[in-house]
Amino acid sequence: MKNVELIPVPALSLNPSLLPLFSYLVPAGFPSPASDHLEGLFDLNRLLLRHPDATYLLRVSGESMAGAEIHTGDLLAVDKHMEADHNHIVVAVVHGECTVKRLVREGQKWWLKPENPAYQPYEITDTDELRIWGVVTHVVHELIPGKLTALVQSLD
């Protein structure tokens, strides 16, 4: 990713955004709004922001992580407080360039691996040339184009 845009999460007290959460498991379709399946209200901030003071949003450019369902235009919730470990998807800076890749350990070697066979993995040999900016905890992927793109563009 060459064009990186960090979108900071404001240091305000986050007001909960409560949505109905149904206990009914749906293979495909919409849950019945019957009250006997209503578990309660759920705050999406609790899910997306484990560490609100250490979380930022990042807009994706490129298709190197398409196999992980991360595509151009998606927003990533990135937690700077979490320690990166094997198999985590991370935001890293390598030789001054920002990238999103899967962190993989194979024996004694560590790699930044894309989730697209058109891209090459990067073996981490010089830790002075690598900085982990955080662990990707969630992907916001828009299924009906428009709202997310418009929101992000309004921040530009």
Side-chain angles (χ1 to χ4, degrees):
M1 285 181 10
K2 293 183 181 177
N3 299 324
V4 174
E5 295 181 46
L6 298 180
I7 304 168
V9 176
L12 309 170
S13 64
L14 297 170
N15 293 328
S17 178
L18 301 176
L19 299 172
L21 174 65
F22 292 90
S23 62
Y24 183 77
L25 299 177
V26 181
F30 188 78
S32 166
S35 60
D36 58 337
H37 289 290
L38 182 64
E39 270 186 50
L41 298 176
F42 186 78
D43 178 12
L44 286 177
N45 291 325
R46 287 181 39 214
L47 175 68
L48 293 174
L49 306 174
R50 292 181 190 177
H51 305 106
D53 294 338
T55 299
Y56 61 92
L57 301 176
L58 182 74
R59 187 164 49 172
V60 175
S61 171
E63 293 294 323
S64 72
M65 294 301 289
E69 296 302 325
I70 298 174
H71 304 281
T72 293
D74 288 351
L75 285 179
L76 304 179
V78 182
D79 190 325
K80 296 184 296 184
H81 186 71
M82 285 184 66
E83 187 173 333
D85 201 358
H86 169 69
N87 218 29
H88 283 166
I89 294 176
V90 298
V91 175
V93 177
V94 181
H95 302 290
E97 290 199 27
C98 192
T99 188
V100 176
K101 298 289 182 281
R102 187 173 301 279
L103 183 65
V104 176
R105 183 176 183 175
E106 293 175 349
Q108 297 301 314
K109 294 182 180 183
W110 285 90
W111 298 81
L112 291 174
K113 290 195 170 185
E115 295 281 336
N116 182 332
Y119 295 83
Q120 295 297 312
Y122 174 81
E123 183 181 359
I124 301 168
T125 57
D126 184 0
T127 55
D128 289 339
E129 292 298 324
L130 171 77
R131 295 286 177 257
I132 303 290
W133 278 9
V135 176
V136 176
T137 57
H138 293 85
V139 179
V140 180
H141 179 80
E142 192 170 45
L143 296 178
I144 300 173
K147 185 90 172 180
L148 178 60
T149 302
L151 174 66
V152 171
Q153 286 175 345
S154 73
L155 298 172
D156 291 344

